[in-house]
């Protein structure tokens, strides 16, 4: 029986966990949600939900993963008494992850396009100025025929490459590099209005 792939360090596990929880959604959408839903009040409720729901669910997932040493469907099949239909809950979790991944690959393709256009200087090459130029340029990209598909395929290929390298050489190594980069980018983007 082959051994289950494991993370080489706790830092790698934490970086991968944080990377899956705090990523594009928190940078891309979360600030707008906080602003439009009450600011500090929304943030307070969000933090309470993290402590009441997020941490217990994450801890349960860790316990199931460590104890079952299998994918979600396999773990539920192993830990449920009499092997009733609980494995379907694991299949549901895998399906939900796949659907989220499908959406995020498209958004990641957009983000990659933003990066390419920022580096080449094309992002603000329209006759409009400021935010309007950005909206115009990216609006034409998103509604384009082939370029959004190309960028999405590039992001899918990059993810497949990382996954094929395995847990330690792929996921852990990439998380250990990308999470500090994300943190540095967030520090750079923080705008002090004072």
């Amino acid at each position: 029986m082959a051994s289950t792939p494991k993370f080489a360090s706790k830092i790698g596990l934490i970086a991968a966990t944080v990377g899956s929880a705090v990523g594009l959604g928190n940078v891309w959408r979360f600030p707008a949600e906080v602003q439009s839903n009450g600011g500090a009040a929304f943030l307070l409720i969000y933090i309470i939900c993290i402590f009441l729901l997020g941490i217990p669910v994450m801890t349960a997932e860790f316990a199931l993963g460590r104890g079952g040493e299998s994918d979600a469907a396999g773990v539920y099949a192993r830990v449920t008494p009499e092997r009733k239909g609980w494995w379907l809950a694991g299949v549901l979790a895998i399906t939900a992850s796949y659907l989220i991944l499908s959406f995020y690959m498209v958004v990641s393709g957009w983000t990659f396009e933003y990066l390419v256009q920022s580096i080449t200087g094309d992002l603000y090459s329209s006759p409009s100025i400021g935010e309007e130029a950005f909206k115009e340029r990216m609006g034409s990209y998103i509604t384009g025929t082939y370029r959004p598909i190309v960028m999405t395929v590039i992001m899918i290929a990059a993810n497949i490459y990382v996954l094929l390298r395995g847990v330690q050489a792929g996921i852990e190594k990439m998380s250990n590099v990308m999470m500090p980069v994300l943190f540095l980018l967030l520090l750079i983007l923080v705008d002090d209005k004072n």
Side-chain angles (χ1 to χ4, degrees):
M1 182 176 185
S3 66
T4 304
K6 298 181 187 305
F7 286 91
S9 67
K10 287 186 179 182
I11 294 292
L13 174 64
I14 291 168
T17 303
V18 170
S20 68
V22 179
L24 198 53
N26 287 67
V27 175
W28 175 49
R29 188 73 185 132
F30 186 73
E33 290 296 322
V34 172
Q35 180 188 14
S36 64
N37 290 298
F42 176 87
L43 204 52
L44 180 64
I45 293 169
Y46 180 81
I47 291 169
I48 291 169
C49 287
I50 286 173
F51 282 103
L52 293 178
L53 300 170
I55 292 174
V57 169
M58 182 184 70
T59 305
E61 286 181 354
F62 279 158
L64 283 171
R66 183 170 280 196
E69 294 187 342
S70 181
D71 62 22
V75 165
Y76 278 103
R78 282 186 186 172
V79 299
T80 52
E82 302 174 21
R83 304 208 188 269
K84 294 193 176 171
W86 277 100
W87 63 273
L88 290 170
V91 171
L92 182 62
I94 293 169
T95 304
S97 297
Y98 176 77
L99 294 173
I100 292 167
L101 175 72
S102 300
F103 167 73
Y104 263 91
M105 285 298 99
V106 173
V107 174
S108 296
W110 295 352
T111 306
F112 186 57
E113 177 69 16
Y114 299 161
L115 175 66
V116 169
Q117 288 196 26
S118 294
I119 291 170
T120 62
D122 290 341
L123 192 57
Y124 292 102
S125 63
S126 72
S128 303
I129 299 171
E131 188 178 337
E132 286 305 313
F134 176 79
K135 286 181 180 178
E136 181 182 310
R137 185 75 177 154
M138 295 319 297
S140 67
Y141 158 72
I142 290 170
T143 57
T145 308
Y146 72 93
R147 192 151 171 101
I149 295 170
V150 169
M151 292 305 187
T152 300
V153 168
I154 289 171
M155 294 310 296
I156 291 170
N159 278 270
I160 289 172
Y161 173 76
V162 170
L163 293 174
L164 288 177
R165 292 183 52 108
V167 172
Q168 290 179 13
I171 298 168
E172 183 172 5
K173 192 173 185 180
M174 188 60 71
S175 297
N176 286 341
V177 171
M178 298 303 286
M179 286 311 298
V181 168
L182 176 63
F183 181 72
L184 287 174
L185 286 173
L186 289 175
L187 286 178
I188 290 167
L189 293 174
V190 169
D191 184 19
D192 187 10
K193 301 265 184 197
N194 297 328

